[in-house]
Amino acid sequence: MTGWFICSAALSSYNKVIFGKDRGAFPCPLLLTSVHFLVQWVFSYSVSALFPDYYGGKVVKDMSWKVYLGVSIPCGLVTAVDVGLSNLSLVRISITFFTMVKSSAPVWVLLSAFIFGLEKITWNLIMVGLLITAGEILTAFGEVEFDTVGFLLVLSAAICGGIRWTLVQFKLQKLDPPLGGPVVTMRVLASTMFFSMLLLSFILERPWNALGPEHGDYFIDFEHGMKTISLGLSGAFIAIAMVLCEFWLILNSNAIVLMIGGVVKEMLTIFVGVTFFGDNLNLVNVSGIVVVFLGVFLYKVTYHLSNLEKANLSSDTENNTHFSRLSSNDIFIEENASARLGKRSHVGKNSDPDITLTFKIDDEDIDEEVLMNINGSSPLRERSIHGPPLELGEREEGNPGVI
């Protein structure tokens, strides 16, 4: 948990220091982000290849290209767009405002989950979503240095983040066998993330011009070039550490810990923005923060309770399976230890539920214990002595005589 907090705050601070127009103002944030994805790809590929059984490399190796690309392309694209827009927004807005707007992700997760058919919309979730939206409006109005472009970028990133988590869940839960870990998931997604982000960088940033000598000393000589590369690699390793901490928590912690930890992580990031970057907060901003975090917390509590209810219903359904349906392959044989009522004329497979079994009781088949009641007489005995053999299950017209 501590590692998750530290890595998250460190990565947000790193991005702001490197990309912020009033800080490092690196001219190609998308290119640097693609380097991060490349390092994640190399790391995850190497680890899963060296330890295929433990980190899932064997699963990816046995995966067909159709399945691999069906997961990697859509999930990798939406993840790349999410991260890319986030880093572009940090060029223009404060880290505090960025964190507050990104906290609206549960609303978009809910909407995308409803679109993909993974969740059902309830009134509780609708009210929580409206509460988070109201908090975001207060936050936007309270921002002292409001930047429309930056706000739209981070809001788009939040929407993509919601779609991203839902799409990843939707795709991964269909895999058989499942990927089963953060390293192998990173390996499947990072390739598409790298190539798509690199393509966007070439189209939008034109790094061969932006990183030229006339725009800075990033690659003016070998020493400056190594510094620039080291700068990119350091951010990549922070991102890898944060992802691994996040997935470790998902695998080893309960939902309550993750709920509280998520809110604390966002508050810590805001604290870093205010303390180390001088972000300004006013009463409206603070009110928006409180409302957003309250909505996020209620959303996670509601979601957790909903999952518990589903689990309880599933458990009750499994425990109440006292009866099972009979199939056509079942053989019906009735035995009575105290008395044998008769001999079956047919015992076999009931291939049609409308076909009934016919039993015929002859005089010699009737035991005395069955014929005699307490008073020594029985209608069954009278029938056996004076009447014709008793037919059970006789079909009459309009009466199927099902036993």
Side-chain angles (χ1 to χ4, degrees):
M1 182 68 75
T2 304
W4 186 35
F5 291 162
I6 294 175
C7 291
S8 177
L11 186 61
S12 299
S13 302
Y14 167 88
N15 290 334
K16 182 60 182 176
V17 169
I18 301 301
F19 303 139
K21 60 183 179 182
D22 54 345
R23 303 284 176 175
F26 188 77
C28 299
L30 296 181
L31 179 66
L32 198 58
T33 305
S34 69
V35 173
H36 296 174
F37 292 154
L38 176 61
V39 175
Q40 293 179 27
W41 185 20
V42 173
F43 168 80
S44 59
Y45 187 94
S46 302
V47 172
S48 60
L50 290 174
F51 308 97
D53 294 330
Y54 189 77
Y55 288 105
K58 189 176 184 302
V59 177
V60 180
K61 187 177 180 180
D62 296 338
M63 191 181 295
S64 66
W65 278 105
K66 181 179 180 180
V67 175
Y68 177 85
L69 295 177
V71 175
S72 180
I73 291 179
C75 298
L77 278 176
V78 72
T79 303
V81 173
D82 174 21
V83 178
L85 291 175
S86 297
N87 290 342
L88 287 176
S89 67
L90 283 172
V91 176
R92 312 179 67 96
I93 63 177
S94 66
I95 190 174
T96 300
F97 187 52
F98 167 84
T99 304
M100 288 186 289
V101 178
K102 282 284 283 186
S103 297
S104 65
V107 177
W108 313 115
V109 171
L110 175 63
L111 290 177
S112 58
F114 173 71
I115 293 173
F116 282 98
L118 299 178
E119 292 292 336
K120 293 182 179 180
I121 298 295
T122 63
W123 283 109
N124 290 337
L125 293 177
I126 292 175
M127 296 303 296
V128 169
L130 293 176
L131 184 63
I132 296 176
T133 304
E136 294 296 337
I137 294 174
L138 286 175
T139 301
F141 277 109
E143 180 67 11
V144 177
E145 299 177 357
F146 183 79
D147 187 289
T148 304
V149 176
F151 172 73
L152 293 178
L153 286 172
V154 69
L155 182 62
S156 301
I159 296 173
C160 288
I163 299 174
R164 164 194 174 188
W165 288 111
T166 306
L167 185 62
V168 169
Q169 178 189 1
F170 180 74
K171 288 290 185 179
L172 294 188
Q173 71 181 7
K174 290 185 175 182
L175 293 181
D176 186 23
L179 292 181
V183 175
V184 67
T185 303
M186 186 186 298
R187 172 179 171 176
V188 172
L189 303 186
S191 57
T192 301
M193 291 159 58
F194 165 67
F195 287 115
S196 58
M197 187 61 68
L198 186 64
L199 180 61
L200 288 175
S201 175
F202 286 168
I203 295 174
L204 300 177
E205 296 174 337
R206 301 183 181 273
W208 51 87
N209 294 327
L211 296 177
E214 63 276 9
H215 297 288
D217 56 357
Y218 301 104
F219 293 98
I220 196 172
D221 54 29
F222 179 78
E223 182 181 357
H224 286 83
M226 292 304 297
K227 286 182 179 179
T228 303
I229 293 175
S230 300
L231 199 64
L233 293 178
S234 61
F237 288 124
I238 295 174
I240 290 173
M242 188 194 73
V243 171
L244 293 179
C245 289
E246 191 174 54
F247 276 98
W248 187 91
L249 283 172
I250 292 174
L251 294 174
N252 296 278
S253 299
N254 57 50
I256 301 296
V257 173
L258 290 175
M259 282 190 290
I260 299 174
V263 175
V264 173
K265 178 179 72 71
E266 305 296 346
M267 294 178 65
L268 179 62
T269 306
I270 292 176
F271 174 78
V272 170
V274 173
T275 304
F276 296 98
F277 293 94
D279 297 344
N280 296 319
L281 291 177
N282 52 36
L283 182 60
V284 179
N285 258 337
V286 173
S287 300
I289 293 173
V290 172
V291 173
V292 168
F293 284 164
L294 178 61
V296 171
F297 187 76
L298 290 177
Y299 165 80
K300 294 181 178 181
V301 170
T302 302
Y303 188 75
H304 176 62
L305 294 177
S306 176
N307 287 338
L308 287 179
E309 183 178 355
K310 291 178 182 178
N312 292 334
L313 288 176
S314 176
S315 177
D316 292 341
T317 302
E318 292 178 358
N319 292 333
N320 288 332
T321 55
H322 300 302
F323 301 95
S324 59
R325 295 182 62 87
L326 295 176
S327 65
S328 60
N329 294 325
D330 294 325
I331 298 177
F332 299 95
I333 301 177
E334 255 186 36
E335 294 181 352
N336 192 316
S338 62
R340 183 167 53 87
L341 291 178
K343 295 180 179 179
R344 291 179 186 247
S345 62
H346 174 73
V347 177
K349 293 185 178 181
N350 185 11
S351 59
D352 189 340
D354 293 330
I355 298 177
T356 58
L357 300 177
T358 302
F359 301 89
K360 183 175 181 180
I361 300 178
D362 296 320
D363 294 345
E364 61 270 19
D365 294 324
I366 304 177
D367 295 334
E368 287 295 325
E369 294 181 0
V370 179
L371 295 177
M372 297 294 296
N373 60 8
I374 298 177
N375 297 323
S377 62
S378 170
L380 185 59
R381 179 172 184 170
E382 297 294 326
R383 176 72 181 268
S384 66
I385 297 175
H386 303 288
L390 179 62
E391 297 281 349
L392 295 182
E394 295 178 344
R395 289 183 179 268
E396 298 177 1
E397 191 70 27
N399 182 12
V402 178
I403 298 179

